[in-house]
Amino acid sequence: MPGNTFGRLFSVTTWGESHGPALGAVIDGCPPGITLTPEDIQKDLDRRRPGQPLSSQRSEADRVEILSGTFEGITTGTPISLIIYNRDTRSNDYAKIAQLYRPGHADRTYVQKFGIRDWRGGGRSSARETAARVAAGAIARRFLDQRGISVQAFTLSLAGIACRSFDPDEIGKNPLYCPDAAAALEMEERIKELRKEGDSAGGVVEIHARGCPPGLGEPVFDKLDARLAGAIMSIGAVKGVEIGEGFLAAAMLGSENNDPITSEGYESNHAGGILGGISTGMDIIVRAAVKPIPSISKPQRTVDALGQPAEIRVGGRHDVSAIPRIVPVCEAMTLLVLADFMLHPFPRAKTIR
Amino acid sequence: MPGNTFGRLFSVTTWGESHGPALGAVIDGCPPGITLTPEDIQKDLDRRRPGQPLSSQRSEADRVEILSGTFEGITTGTPISLIIYNRDTRSNDYAKIAQLYRPGHADRTYVQKFGIRDWRGGGRSSARETAARVAAGAIARRFLDQRGISVQAFTLSLAGIACRSFDPDEIGKNPLYCPDAAAALEMEERIKELRKEGDSAGGVVEIHARGCPPGLGEPVFDKLDARLAGAIMSIGAVKGVEIGEGFLAAAMLGSENNDPITSEGYESNHAGGILGGISTGMDIIVRAAVKPIPSISKPQRTVDALGQPAEIRVGGRHDVSAIPRIVPVCEAMTLLVLADFMLHPFPRAKTIR
Amino acid sequence: MPGNTFGRLFSVTTWGESHGPALGAVIDGCPPGITLTPEDIQKDLDRRRPGQPLSSQRSEADRVEILSGTFEGITTGTPISLIIYNRDTRSNDYAKIAQLYRPGHADRTYVQKFGIRDWRGGGRSSARETAARVAAGAIARRFLDQRGISVQAFTLSLAGIACRSFDPDEIGKNPLYCPDAAAALEMEERIKELRKEGDSAGGVVEIHARGCPPGLGEPVFDKLDARLAGAIMSIGAVKGVEIGEGFLAAAMLGSENNDPITSEGYESNHAGGILGGISTGMDIIVRAAVKPIPSISKPQRTVDALGQPAEIRVGGRHDVSAIPRIVPVCEAMTLLVLADFMLHPFPRAKTIR
Amino acid sequence: MPGNTFGRLFSVTTWGESHGPALGAVIDGCPPGITLTPEDIQKDLDRRRPGQPLSSQRSEADRVEILSGTFEGITTGTPISLIIYNRDTRSNDYAKIAQLYRPGHADRTYVQKFGIRDWRGGGRSSARETAARVAAGAIARRFLDQRGISVQAFTLSLAGIACRSFDPDEIGKNPLYCPDAAAALEMEERIKELRKEGDSAGGVVEIHARGCPPGLGEPVFDKLDARLAGAIMSIGAVKGVEIGEGFLAAAMLGSENNDPITSEGYESNHAGGILGGISTGMDIIVRAAVKPIPSISKPQRTVDALGQPAEIRVGGRHDVSAIPRIVPVCEAMTLLVLADFMLHPFPRAKTIR
């Protein structure tokens, strides 16, 4: 069944395999009248680009082209088609493991579901798929910019090393998108060690959305938090999502967790900006648990396509952690959710338009 | 925008307010040929019923009626309409706080979104809404039973008290649906204390789905874990969702978190039964973080409908914790997700039918 | 697969069988703040009521109740549940033909699809199902009233007898909803003859929507005309739909069919108010071809459930023509389509709000 | 709101403007394991290609490329992205009428809806958009071929000249896809005359689907006929759709229109293969009324973008009739509807698989 379309009013359909000719996205429902150039999109795309110090060495140019939906640099309300041609694809890196199922990957589940899989670089299940999400998210960002809404994600922890301080200006200054410069250095060191050991690490990403009006979200099933949870969990490698206090709230008392109400808003924001599935007007706060990248060069037990036991060492040009590249992907999914809800009929003019 | 329909092939639309004449659900897409009586549904409904020792004292009869979609006790493939008439509704309990926004509740966000709210018992935002989910989930359970799939949820922790052992037979024996009898007793004690203090508590629920074939889930946006996360997060009071190791995976190494593959399946199940958004055939494991119930009799700061500061003490017949009543709701949402995917075209006959 | 929900923003789910306990509709997405009483709905429901001179003698009370979604007589933005209990159901009328497939009916196709059917009065395939559509349409009418949009349908021809004049005031004055009093009398005579002969007749219904702003409709697949065509064709007995000149346009020249454009609008309205799938601001004109009612008392060749040849005479209390009862159903479906598009994000304030 | 996606299980999203860099489609939900090459698609695309004797002289190469969703020539179950680069686009042809609204076109309605339009060749509202539909339909055809279902459309009338005979072998032999060779010659003559006169013509297309199992269609809103009507009416220039006897049924008696039932099927097929919105197993018969092409070189009254009265003569390379190029488009939309329903869960194995 089709699972490659996201959003109901601001809708995105993505397509493309890791080692096919190209990948892309069609954005349908983007409001007309927004100035949009390839550079607007490229900016976000560059933030998830491999080739950065700590990331995979596959150096993809990743140039996005706009094929439709704009006229003289302005969106027209018709579908916007984006394409990114794949370059520097070394499928041969994968030929030797084509008949082996990589642990922690979707190799076997794709075969079980579809009876066939494109083994070149994971095909559709590759993290490369998220480039299309980031490109689409950049368009949502253009739209939300106009409405005064901004989204920023950052690295909260990596390989068990957690931020001890939060300096928003620091996020853009280190390659890990980490708001704590000291922690960022420790993380870098740990990544280098893990690369030598042939192992990998996970971490936690936190996402802040600022400027959202109250009233976004559609109870009882399409609540804002429900849609955010689904959106973030749809990113490969994410194994957990929480809003506001999240799992910590499970051990708090009601008198601790409730946010006292003031005439302007709330005295605190344990709720993470959402009550009853509807935005409160406070910052929306989401966290994503990211598992360690399953591609490791350490030997692992697996089976081949015939079910025979085998040992696998996953070589090739792999990142040690999905962080930091997953950070802009988390932003993109949040942007897409918010853009979608900003087009919903309610709330009306006073709060939104 | 409509947000009260869940599922694409096995679809449920719920309706009803806490203190309106009735609430209900329409299940559309349920396969024909399944024997279904009101008793099949009542069984699950009774498990979330208030009036149990530790739960709210509102003693609702909660009798479900089937109004359509069956003929001579068998589903016909047409929509199944369920209705539960509300009884024992004491709206007056709420009249005195009708003009005050309760902290931690959706009172203000509903007004901000819709410009109006039904203040009797929270109206649509009441936890009572979940009765319709449980009723619908019971039908999904009938369908999944036939396919050998079962879903069971239980209390993993409450008010910071965690289970130290897991005995599945114990779950049905204590009113907290807790697999550890000793922990259950401690939880009961804690609940009694909190009731005296006028405070409330949260907890963590764990959900197991057994017997799922590999191949369920639709990458890249409607992955099985994405849909489960959205489904569970749509339950009021849930603030976090995780799959398999969840947030713990963020601090593990790839060599620790990857599940070695065997010809029959996997040596371990850190993944929680899902890889690449597709079921692996192992047990599916989901956890939900439940916040403390916001209705507490301790005084809290808030504002009235005119924005003037006020103090509020929420009286009435409130539970101290959403646990244990949320346990069957977590099962219901999981059942609905799985029933939906079991009707998807792929995988085909060999694995599923 | 679920097929009982209509509309994307103003959404309706209907349920119920002809001879089950009740039928109803859930309207999700109706704007809040609209005054709505059961009487508002009853008015439209009474217009399709059987028991009128020329219609079936089944005298259903058809009282609608509102079970949710309003508070103190005003819509709240939450789902509105409507229920109509079935009364005066004589299932025994059908017992004798329970094992025979009625020609022109859906008896056999339901069995082929679902493997089971509720043979009492056609079950879900009964025209009685449209009562729920009319009830839901009445709510759409309340919403559209506020925006200055009205929808009226009437009988253009019946049993080959066509209107020769058009007097809008006449439509409400005769039981056939016919704008030509003289033609209406002829139609009544013809119906009486056909009843004696044990035969039935079809006809054509025309629908006018006035006051629609330009800009409604979503190219390229959810064009206004595409959605109207699907909506009208979903009514049982409808076999054709046309917009504006419709099939006549097929034989016209471009110079005849094009509507010259003026600064206020258009000099003519061959297009029926839609260009490129988007409303022009002119009246929207739709026509529906209605087949003769398949239930006739003349003998017909058929087979029984075992496939053996048989003769059938369909007794019971049947109408001779789906007209006039289908007229308010055509209005309802048009109202639902327009309400849906009126909630779409574009066009914006100037034209719509 | 997004309107560029069609289908729920076999889903197609199209994009692209007439004079933009490219147009294309993303097909999501296509079953895996189908052999598919660009040539399979090209074959259908060539049938709608301009440059044929009677069609527009714009000679587009229209070469389709497959960018994703296949591996070694076989579909993998992931989205299939198709692209057709635009060539030979002479936007200057349109520059002189950029500020004039063409009668019968969507120029003004697009501006009213979106506030902006791409005036080059009609932009998104151009008939060129249907190339993407035909390409997507060709993939549906591959899938349906495997299930023994075929779809063929042909010209029933053009400019008032109707076929008097039906020879299926003749359809592919004349450029008008007409089953009557003599009528085809008359139509060609009429087209030549109209071209000289600077006028245009419409016609009627008939579509036959053969080999459909009984059981396709989802009452009560997603009936097979409802979906076909919406699909066909979504094609630009179509103003009417009918099934089986269609508008003729409105004047027939029940005893004439009912199809007697036999153990194998039905004695006649007035119903056009659909009863109660579900396929009967007989041929599915649909007709589409096609309006004359609005682009004519005769002078017409219109207004400019400022609302001032003006005269327009639409030059450029225009067809005299949407027929025959619309014939493969009608096939494509029918193929897409049938492919979608063939993936629905019911009916089950015996009838479909």
Side-chain angles (χ1 to χ4, degrees), chain A residues 3-4 14 110 124 129 133 234-235, chain B residues 218-223 226:
Chain A
N4 297 281
T14 68
Y110 266 67
R124 182 75 181 143
E129 168 260 324
R133 301 188 187 211
S234 80
I235 304 170
Chain B
E218 300 294 337
V220 296
F221 295 117
D222 293 327
K223 291 174 170 174

Side-chain angles (χ1 to χ4, degrees), chain C residues 192-267:
Chain C
K192 286 174 195 164
E193 289 169 23
L194 288 167
R195 177 167 288 137
K196 277 183 211 151
E197 295 168 17
D199 217 326
S200 65
V204 175
V205 172
E206 184 163 311
I207 308 147
H208 288 190
R210 297 190 186 84
C212 290
L216 303 184
E218 301 295 337
V220 297
F221 295 117
D222 293 326
K223 291 174 171 174
L224 178 52
D225 38 3
R227 290 282 287 274
L228 285 168
I232 299 298
M233 192 71 94
S234 80
I235 305 170
V238 172
K239 299 299 284 185
V241 185
E242 52 182 22
I243 308 286
E245 295 291 346
F247 276 85
L248 285 184
M252 292 167 77
L253 297 178
S255 56
E256 295 166 336
N257 187 59
N258 284 351
D259 299 307
I261 305 179
T262 68
S263 52
E264 287 78 32
Y266 300 83
E267 286 181 21

Side-chain angles (χ1 to χ4, degrees), chain D:
Chain D
M1 184 166 180
N4 297 280
T5 296
F6 184 85
R8 298 170 71 183
L9 289 167
F10 192 103
S11 166
V12 178
T13 302
T14 68
W15 55 270
E17 274 79 35
S18 173
H19 287 62
L23 53 85
V26 183
I27 294 90
D28 194 9
C30 180
I34 299 174
T35 59
L36 180 73
T37 63
E39 288 66 39
D40 293 321
I41 303 167
Q42 195 64 45
K43 219 162 26 180
D44 270 13
L45 214 48
D46 289 348
R47 293 176 60 227
R48 85 165 275 293
R49 187 182 50 203
Q52 297 179 341
L54 296 172
S55 285
S56 117
Q57 294 101 8
R58 176 169 168 184
S59 111
E60 306 161 63
D62 268 3
R63 300 303 306 176
V64 67
E65 297 170 50
I66 301 175
L67 295 174
S68 68
T70 63
F71 183 56
E72 301 177 341
I74 293 172
T75 60
T76 60
T78 62
I80 303 170
S81 177
L82 304 178
I83 193 167
I84 302 167
Y85 279 95
N86 282 325
R87 299 190 177 86
D88 187 25
T89 55
R90 303 189 203 156
S91 303
N92 285 346
D93 283 4
Y94 294 90
K96 55 191 152 199
I97 54 170
Q99 298 308 314
L100 295 178
Y101 296 137
R102 295 168 298 165
H105 277 284
D107 296 351
R108 182 153 75 172
T109 52
Y110 266 68
V111 169
Q112 285 171 317
K113 183 176 187 65
F114 297 119
I116 180 177
R117 77 179 169 102
D118 178 349
W119 47 259
R120 300 165 305 168
R124 182 74 180 145
S125 72
S126 164
R128 180 147 179 70
E129 167 260 322
T130 58
R133 302 188 187 209
V134 170
I139 298 179
R141 196 191 294 276
R142 292 286 304 152
F143 164 50
L144 294 174
D145 267 353
Q146 295 188 338
R147 308 299 182 95
I149 298 172
S150 65
V151 171
Q152 185 179 38
F154 53 87
T155 300
L156 196 65
S157 73
L158 187 148
I161 301 161
C163 290
R164 277 97 52 188
S165 65
F166 178 79
D167 175 0
D169 294 335
E170 182 60 33
I171 294 169
K173 291 184 182 156
N174 63 71
L176 282 159
Y177 301 128
C178 184
D180 173 344
L185 286 175
E186 293 172 46
M187 292 173 187
E188 286 197 45
E189 282 310 303
R190 187 76 183 106
I191 285 177
K192 285 176 196 162
E193 288 169 23
L194 287 167
R195 176 165 289 136
K196 276 182 210 150
E197 296 168 16
D199 217 326
S200 65
V204 175
V205 172
E206 184 163 311
I207 308 148
H208 289 190
R210 297 190 185 85
C212 291
L216 304 184
E218 301 294 338
V220 296
F221 295 117
D222 292 326
K223 290 175 170 173
L224 178 52
D225 38 3
R227 290 281 288 274
L228 285 168
I232 298 299
M233 192 70 95
S234 80
I235 305 170
V238 172
K239 299 299 284 186
V241 185
E242 51 181 23
I243 308 288
E245 294 293 343
F247 276 85
L248 285 184
M252 291 167 76
L253 298 176
S255 57
E256 295 166 337
N257 186 59
N258 284 352
D259 300 305
I261 306 179
T262 68
S263 52
E264 286 79 32
Y266 301 83
E267 285 180 20
S268 54
N269 189 17
H270 299 293
I274 303 174
L275 280 175
I278 300 173
S279 61
T280 64
M282 302 287 279
D283 285 358
I284 291 166
I285 296 168
V286 185
R287 269 178 303 281
V290 180
K291 75 172 186 180
I293 285 210
S295 292
I296 57 175
S297 54
K298 279 190 175 173
Q300 300 180 84
R301 290 182 300 285
T302 187
V303 298
D304 62 21
L306 301 172
Q308 295 306 306
E311 192 185 81
I312 188 169
R313 292 163 190 262
V314 184
R317 301 161 295 171
H318 299 291
D319 292 346
V320 167
S321 177
I323 293 173
R325 287 173 63 186
I326 208 171
V327 170
V329 182
C330 290
E331 289 183 7
M333 293 311 298
T334 304
L335 289 159
L336 291 175
V337 170
L338 294 175
D340 198 39
F341 280 118
M342 283 298 287
L343 291 174
H344 281 220
F346 307 99
R348 285 297 169 117
K350 271 174 296 182
T351 40
I352 289 196
R353 288 170 227 180

Side-chain angles (χ1 to χ4, degrees), chain C residues 23-350:
Chain C
L23 52 85
V26 183
I27 295 89
D28 195 8
C30 179
I34 299 175
T35 59
L36 180 73
T37 63
E39 289 65 41
D40 294 320
I41 303 167
Q42 195 64 46
K43 218 162 28 181
D44 270 13
L45 214 48
D46 289 347
R47 293 177 59 227
R48 84 165 277 290
R49 188 182 51 202
Q52 297 179 340
L54 297 170
S55 284
S56 118
Q57 292 102 8
R58 175 171 170 182
S59 109
E60 306 161 62
D62 268 4
R63 299 302 308 174
V64 68
E65 297 170 49
I66 301 176
L67 296 174
S68 68
T70 62
F71 183 57
E72 302 176 341
I74 294 171
T75 61
T76 59
T78 62
I80 303 169
S81 177
L82 305 178
I83 192 167
I84 303 167
Y85 278 95
N86 282 325
R87 299 187 178 89
D88 187 26
T89 55
R90 304 189 202 155
S91 303
N92 285 346
D93 283 4
Y94 294 91
K96 56 191 153 198
I97 55 169
Q99 298 307 313
L100 295 178
Y101 295 137
R102 295 168 299 166
H105 277 286
D107 297 350
R108 183 152 75 174
T109 52
Y110 266 68
V111 169
Q112 286 171 316
K113 183 176 186 66
F114 297 119
I116 181 177
R117 79 180 168 101
D118 178 348
W119 47 258
R120 301 166 304 168
R124 182 74 180 144
S125 71
S126 165
R128 181 145 178 71
E129 167 261 321
T130 58
R133 302 189 187 209
V134 170
I139 298 180
R141 196 191 295 276
R142 291 285 306 150
F143 165 50
L144 294 173
D145 267 354
Q146 295 188 336
R147 309 298 182 96
I149 298 173
S150 65
V151 171
Q152 186 179 39
F154 54 86
T155 301
L156 196 65
S157 74
L158 186 149
I161 301 161
C163 291
R164 276 97 52 188
S165 64
F166 177 80
D167 176 359
D169 294 336
E170 183 58 35
I171 295 169
K173 292 183 183 157
N174 64 72
L176 283 159
Y177 302 127
C178 184
D180 173 346
L185 286 175
E186 294 173 46
M187 293 173 187
E188 286 197 44
E189 282 310 304
R190 187 77 184 107
I191 285 177
K192 286 174 195 164
E193 289 169 23
L194 288 167
R195 177 167 288 137
K196 277 183 211 151
E197 295 168 17
D199 217 326
S200 65
V204 175
V205 172
E206 184 163 311
I207 308 147
H208 288 190
R210 297 190 186 84
C212 290
L216 303 184
E218 301 295 337
V220 297
F221 295 117
D222 293 326
K223 291 174 171 174
L224 178 52
D225 38 3
R227 290 282 287 274
L228 285 168
I232 299 298
M233 192 71 94
S234 80
I235 305 170
V238 172
K239 299 299 284 185
V241 185
E242 52 182 22
I243 308 286
E245 295 291 346
F247 276 85
L248 285 184
M252 292 167 77
L253 297 178
S255 56
E256 295 166 336
N257 187 59
N258 284 351
D259 299 307
I261 305 179
T262 68
S263 52
E264 287 78 32
Y266 300 83
E267 286 181 21
S268 53
N269 189 17
H270 300 293
I274 303 174
L275 280 175
I278 300 172
S279 62
T280 64
M282 302 287 279
D283 286 357
I284 292 166
I285 296 167
V286 185
R287 268 178 305 280
V290 180
K291 75 172 185 180
I293 284 211
S295 291
I296 56 175
S297 53
K298 279 191 174 172
Q300 300 179 83
R301 289 182 300 285
T302 187
V303 297
D304 62 21
L306 300 172
Q308 295 305 307
E311 192 186 83
I312 189 169
R313 290 164 191 263
V314 184
R317 301 162 294 172
H318 299 291
D319 292 345
V320 166
S321 177
I323 292 172
R325 287 174 62 187
I326 207 170
V327 169
V329 182
C330 290
E331 288 183 8
M333 293 311 299
T334 304
L335 288 159
L336 292 174
V337 170
L338 294 175
D340 198 40
F341 281 119
M342 283 298 286
L343 292 174
H344 281 221
F346 306 98
R348 284 294 168 115
K350 269 174 297 182

Side-chain angles (χ1 to χ4, degrees), chain B residues 101-244:
Chain B
Y101 295 136
R102 295 169 298 164
H105 276 287
D107 296 351
R108 182 151 76 171
T109 51
Y110 265 68
V111 169
Q112 286 171 317
K113 183 176 187 64
F114 297 119
I116 181 176
R117 79 180 168 102
D118 178 348
W119 47 259
R120 301 165 304 167
R124 183 74 181 144
S125 71
S126 165
R128 180 143 179 70
E129 167 260 322
T130 59
R133 302 188 187 210
V134 170
I139 298 181
R141 197 191 293 277
R142 292 285 306 150
F143 165 50
L144 294 173
D145 267 354
Q146 296 188 337
R147 309 298 183 95
I149 299 173
S150 65
V151 171
Q152 186 178 38
F154 55 86
T155 300
L156 196 65
S157 74
L158 187 148
I161 302 162
C163 291
R164 278 95 54 188
S165 64
F166 178 79
D167 176 359
D169 293 335
E170 182 59 34
I171 295 168
K173 292 184 182 155
N174 63 72
L176 282 159
Y177 302 127
C178 184
D180 173 346
L185 286 175
E186 293 173 47
M187 293 174 189
E188 286 196 46
E189 282 310 305
R190 187 76 183 107
I191 285 176
K192 286 176 195 160
E193 288 169 24
L194 287 168
R195 177 166 288 135
K196 278 183 210 149
E197 294 168 18
D199 217 326
S200 65
V204 175
V205 173
E206 184 162 310
I207 307 147
H208 288 189
R210 297 190 186 85
C212 289
L216 303 184
E218 300 294 337
V220 296
F221 295 117
D222 293 327
K223 291 174 170 174
L224 179 52
D225 38 3
R227 290 281 289 275
L228 285 168
I232 298 299
M233 191 70 95
S234 80
I235 305 170
V238 172
K239 299 299 284 186
V241 185
E242 53 181 23
I243 307 288

